Amino acid sequence: MEEKICQSCSMPFTKEEDFGTLKGGGKSDEYCVHCLKDGAFTQDITLEEAIAQCVQYADMAGVTKEEALAYAKQVFPTLKRWNQQ
């Protein structure tokens, strides 16, 4: 089974608390808690800004900043949030 990831930042969903919330309080099955709250994106940023921002989480993901940047440039444009622009 394919790992489910946030369709904005590509964070993997590993536990129930990772899922963002919809308007009315339901859980989103597409966006994480960091990207979606009460049915709205938590940041109004461009794809390029999102890619640049992901580099700060490289250590947490266990990769180098260069690897994080290369991954984000490849994957982010395919994610639902950015693919619709």
Side-chain angles (χ1 to χ4, degrees):
M1 187 168 110
E2 187 178 334
E3 180 179 55
K4 194 156 178 89
I5 61 172
C6 175
Q7 292 298 300
S8 178
C9 73
S10 81
M11 182 183 101
F13 294 118
T14 59
K15 56 189 179 296
E16 191 64 30
E17 297 82 39
D18 291 341
F19 293 89
T21 55
L22 302 170
K23 206 172 202 169
K27 293 281 186 185
S28 169
D29 65 347
E30 295 181 318
Y31 299 103
C32 77
V33 65
H34 305 291
C35 292
L36 192 74
K37 183 174 176 148
D38 297 326
F41 289 115
T42 58
Q43 292 184 310
D44 183 20
I45 59 175
T46 66
L47 170 58
E48 292 74 23
E49 290 168 333
I51 289 171
Q53 194 177 65
C54 89
V55 173
Q56 67 184 329
Y57 300 104
D59 289 344
M60 192 182 303
V63 298
T64 66
K65 291 185 184 319
E66 293 78 17
E67 290 170 325
L69 185 59
Y71 171 84
K73 285 181 175 179
Q74 179 182 5
V75 174
F76 280 30
T78 68
L79 300 175
K80 185 176 179 180
R81 179 176 183 182
W82 310 114
N83 202 7
Q84 295 179 358
Q85 296 182 352

